[in-house]
Each structure stands twice: as structure tokens, then as C-alpha cells.
Amino acid sequence: MERPSAAPPPVPASKIIQMVPAPIWVRFLAGAADVIVAGLLSLAIIVTILIPFFFPDTQSILYEYVNKSGGNFLRDTNLASKLLENPRLRNMVLAGQMIFYTVFFFYFFLSEWALKGSSLGKKIFQITAVRRTLDQPLNLGILFMRAWLKTVFFILFLPLLWITFLWVFVHPEKRMVHDLLTGTWVID
């Protein structure tokens, strides 16, 4: 009776990519560029479509708030709390957040799919995400998971962004948490 092997067969050396991890500062700047692009796209959708077409009555409320606060939004917290008591404005903020999260997810997913493992930020800094071996491309499942994890880490749980970024300093291959979970590397 044949015993199953304990480990999968080793990958031939000719198939392994010689990886030079992208410098940490380059990954940070590429990520910042991506956040700026996705954030501006989200803001454009919110300001040009969401508010004018679905919540036009909230514009006057926001203008009144800006005038009363004198441009210093943190000065009068009582005014800000009264502002969120308005159900239409609360719904507009919630819808804006959902647009924000959705745009970030699709930005990461579609850009890494269309640009073969890169986003606009990664293209600017000439880095890309890859699989460990040449015969394992970044498939849609991996790209979906990378986009979902980035969206969660960047938007929903901002402190996790810093934990995942700081992980690069202690990991020997300079991989972030979403790289480890999806089996990818970002290389120069």
C-alpha cells in the first residue's frame, strides 16, 4: 500500500520568480496614490450624482451648517450632532459611505485585473503583485480577495491599515497581511 507524501513536490527552480520585494516607502506611496485616486472618484460620484439626484434637499442643510460653523467644523460639536439628527442627512451620509466602500473595492479589483497585478499607484512606481511561481497567475479569485482585504483594511478599519503596513517591517519577505492571505508578493 502506497503512503501519501507529507508535502507537495517541490517547485522546480526554473519556475520560481526571483523576487526583489518592493521597498516599503514605494509601497506606501503607491498605496497613497491609489487612495487619492479612489477617494477623488468616490467624491466625484457623491457630489455629482448622489447629492443632486437623490438628496437635493440636503444641500441647503450642508450650506447652512458651513455658514454657521464659519468653516471650523470642529468648533461647535453641538451643531454637528444636531446636523446628524436629520434623517435625510444621515441617510445621505450612509449612502455616501456605501459609495465610498464600493468604489474603493472596484478600483482595486478592476485596476489590478486590467493592469495585470498593478494599480495606478503601482504603475506609477513600477511595482506589481505576482504569485510565487510563473505558472500561477493572479486569477480573479485572488484579485477579488486582495481587493476585498484592501478595502476592509483601508476603509472600514483604518487602524488595521497601520497594522498591515507595519507588518512589512517585521516580515522577512516584506509582505503585508493581504499578501500573506492571498499568497502574493509585490515586487520591483
Side-chain angles (χ1 to χ4, degrees):
M1 186 165 176
E2 209 174 300
R3 297 173 76 192
S5 62
V11 176
S14 63
K15 295 260 187 187
I16 294 179
I17 300 171
Q18 297 302 320
M19 288 178 280
V20 176
I24 296 167
W25 67 272
V26 172
R27 289 192 72 173
F28 179 77
L29 290 175
D34 288 333
V35 168
I36 289 169
V37 170
L40 288 174
L41 183 58
S42 299
L43 185 61
I45 292 170
I46 291 166
V47 170
T48 61
I49 298 171
L50 178 70
I51 294 174
F53 292 106
F54 298 99
F55 296 96
D57 52 319
T58 60
Q59 286 178 320
S60 61
I61 298 167
L62 291 172
Y63 289 141
E64 181 182 335
Y65 173 70
V66 170
N67 288 333
K68 283 184 181 178
S69 69
N72 186 353
F73 303 116
L74 302 176
R75 183 179 343 146
D76 191 353
T77 56
N78 192 26
L79 180 62
S81 63
K82 278 190 220 174
L83 189 66
L84 289 178
E85 289 173 6
N86 183 319
R88 286 289 291 161
L89 196 59
R90 233 186 1 250
N91 290 341
M92 188 267 303
V93 169
L94 180 62
Q97 288 175 327
M98 296 312 298
I99 287 172
F100 202 64
Y101 303 150
T102 304
V103 167
F104 266 75
F105 170 78
F106 280 108
Y107 170 78
F108 288 125
F109 179 69
L110 294 174
S111 66
E112 287 199 358
W113 171 72
L115 299 174
K116 308 286 189 243
S118 289
S119 59
L120 294 177
K122 285 185 183 119
K123 278 291 186 196
I124 292 168
F125 292 96
Q126 299 175 346
I127 59 178
T128 190
V130 296
R131 295 291 301 225
R132 181 115 180 135
T133 60
L134 293 173
D135 61 346
Q136 292 180 335
L138 289 176
N139 61 35
L140 289 178
I142 296 288
L143 293 174
F144 181 89
M145 185 58 78
R146 282 180 60 84
W148 184 80
L149 289 168
K150 285 181 188 182
T151 302
V152 168
F153 292 148
F154 276 126
I155 307 296
L156 300 177
F157 305 109
L158 196 54
L160 287 179
L161 164 66
W162 296 109
I163 293 169
T164 63
F165 182 71
L166 293 174
W167 188 263
V168 173
F169 290 103
V170 297
H171 194 273
E173 294 175 326
K174 306 294 181 219
R175 293 170 66 197
M176 289 185 167
V177 173
H178 62 269
D179 295 323
L180 294 170
L181 292 174
T182 58
T184 58
W185 282 256
V186 176
I187 60 171
D188 237 348

